[in-house]
Amino acid sequence: MRKKFLAGIAVMAAATLAMTGCASGSTTAPTSAAGSSSAAAEEVTLEFAQWWEPELPANALRGLMDQFEKANPGIKVKLISGPYASTKEQVVAGAAAGTMSDVVGLDGAWVNDFVKQGSLANLSELMKAASFDEKQLAAQVQLNGSTWMIPVANFVYPMFVNDDLLKKAGVSAVPTNRTEFTAAAAALTKLGNNTAGWVLPLDSSAPNGIQNDVMSWVWSSGGSMLKDGKPYLTGNADVKSAMEFIKGMYDAGSIAKGSFTMKEQDKVNEFTNGRVGMMIDSLAHVNLIREQNKDLKFQVAAIPSADGYSGKRGMPYASWGIGVAANSKHQAEAFKLVAFLLGKDVNATLCNAAHAFPGNAQAVPDFVNSDPIFKQAFDIYQAGTPTNEFTGLPVAEDLMRSFDEQFQKYLAGKQSADDALAAAQKAWDAAFAG
Amino acid sequence: MSTTTLPARAKSSGPGGSRSRATGGKKGLAKALVPFGYLSPTVILLTVLMVIPIVMVIGYSLMDNVIMKKNPQFVGFKHYSDILSSESFWTAVTNTLFFTGVSVVAHLILGLAFAMMLNTDLLGHKTKAIFRTIYVLPWLFTVAIIAVLWRLLLEPNGVINYLLTASHLAGSQIEWLGSPETALFAVTFINIWSGYPFYMTSLLAGLQGIPGEYYEAAQVDGASAWQRFTRITLPQLKPIIISMALLDFIWTTQQFALIWMTTGGGPLGTTEMLSTFTYKLAFTKYQFGAASASAVIVLVISMVLAFFYVRAQKARD
């Protein structure tokens, strides 16, 4: 009986040990094993969670990591890669549980919340400790006077135009203002065969259409959705005018059907398949469009402005940002990796592979000069102002979503533009206060 | 039993009885603990994987904004009252009830119809095998594939609209998932399509377990096909039907991936479910306290359903 009792206890102890072992799987622990040499004991494995690897050519990011490991003996990098959405969930969960990877790919829209939560390390301090020259950076995302995210690669969102469709519709020039755009969209829609002038994704599960496809019209005409860093929607003539402009095209049937549940990928598919004449999209998709439809003739242009506007045009952009986890035990080593990716040559290599504009101000990727579309985009980028007012805002994605819900109601004719703006303002104010 | 055993032991103890009592006590304790020793791995696993997370979530639901704040404050039932007085929550409840209720009923009817078709003697073995393969197909796809597949089929330029317009059944493209009028029906239809094989296979097994003599005797008595169905088939399948319907009800109220990947709860909140409502609170608003309260409400609803499920199981045993 005693044996049976002991056996039972042993089973219980074994299970406890097994589970304790599982639970204590460290994300950042040094990889040294007991009894190994002192050199091995100093070896550090950095986890780097990002969504970049799946969007880059095979082995592009791993190749750079190998280069980093060679230059920094004793530091290994473990890439944790996944699509954007799952990376976001993983980073949010990691931030909540205090198990965020040492180095994390960041979207500017997440930064405010992570800073509030205390899950990001202060990069200003890390830069100072590493004597890193900040002047080489094209941009930094700062809050409360400190840097928390550095954009590594920037993707601008110009207007894409299907040359063949425009020609077929009898539109001789690429639209430069809203009146021309509305006329071109109507002419393209008249072609029939389910062709539409413009495409507008408003799916509420990924509401970045508000940033890229709606607010872009405000920014391209010098408008703003903020005043003194606070929400400014009620009584904002610039935002209301952009909404009315879009509603006019929606009512005229010039926008591809299915907007309310359309995602960014659907938008790209519609354009790639030649069913849509114009779209506002990330430059990151140029290669994808070319691969999927080799015959499609298209170009990029600046987003049309409000009639009569002659100032600098804002153009939305999204970044592959980078940050260091506050819970990382190896922040100095983690920053070495950040500095490596932002170095002039490495940054140019990475941006070349990604077809993005560099985070290092001195880096010049080759594709800018070798490809006419990217040359066009680079010229627009330099002539305009990269703008993304959602970067650094609290619960930025939810701001997009609450605006999206009100905007959809407005488009569906269930409320006026003023009511939509007032309701969105209320939701935004609450989010800022919360 | 214990009242008779213990005095007997006491009687048998002579000189030195206290020592043997002590030994017997230790042995008795050890004996009593053995089952717990064997149970302990399961108990520990359940505690770590279920009890602790549930207790933590209940705790979170009583704090102001846990996780996002370093020092969250206790706010009692504030999140519960906020959620229960929120219009969006009740929209989500209504949508979930419609989505779940229609799905469960349709799953049952379709599953039973197909199971009976596969159980009939009127079809040959090969024909049955072909139908069985076709009917079970939706069950083999993951939710992600089902969502992508149906998004492609139902999009304005998709196959369904092409067929409808080509056959003049529709004058123009219908925004199945993008229109507030059709979105809830569309996602419910997709869920029905993806879920009926579960019923079909289980009911088919149930049908094959009904002794043929019952039907033969009924036929001799002159019972019609409908009478045989209502008096023999349904009563025989009743325990399976109740168990599956309750399980399906629990699973469908928690359906998240399909909704998120097809409509995201839109358009205009017409497909917002309790699952998407909770997810948005947590992962887009970062209101983990409120999200925990919402999750606890869903847990309570699930517990009520689980209670009925367990009761149905006990009745079946």
Side-chain angles (χ1 to χ4, degrees), chain A residues 5 8 11-12 16 19 88-89 96 113 117 194 204-205 257-258 260-261 266 270 275 395 398 401 408-409, chain B residues 30 33-34 37 40-41 44-45 67-68 151 156-157 173 175 177-178 260 263-264 267-268 279 283-286:
Chain A
F5 173 69
V11 169
M12 183 174 77
T16 312
M19 282 192 304
K88 186 198 161 194
E89 281 168 20
D113 305 298
Q117 199 178 354
N194 296 332
S204 63
S205 66
K257 284 194 170 180
F260 288 4
T261 48
D266 302 319
E270 290 294 293
R275 286 196 293 260
V395 286
D398 198 52
R401 178 169 290 111
Q408 285 194 22
K409 273 188 194 169
Chain B
L33 283 175
V34 167
S40 56
I44 292 170
L45 276 174
I67 294 173
M68 295 307 290
R151 272 183 73 90
N157 287 308
Q173 296 168 312
E175 299 175 65
L177 292 166
W260 193 249
T263 61
L268 305 177
Y279 178 87
F283 287 96
T284 70
K285 292 179 189 288
Y286 302 124

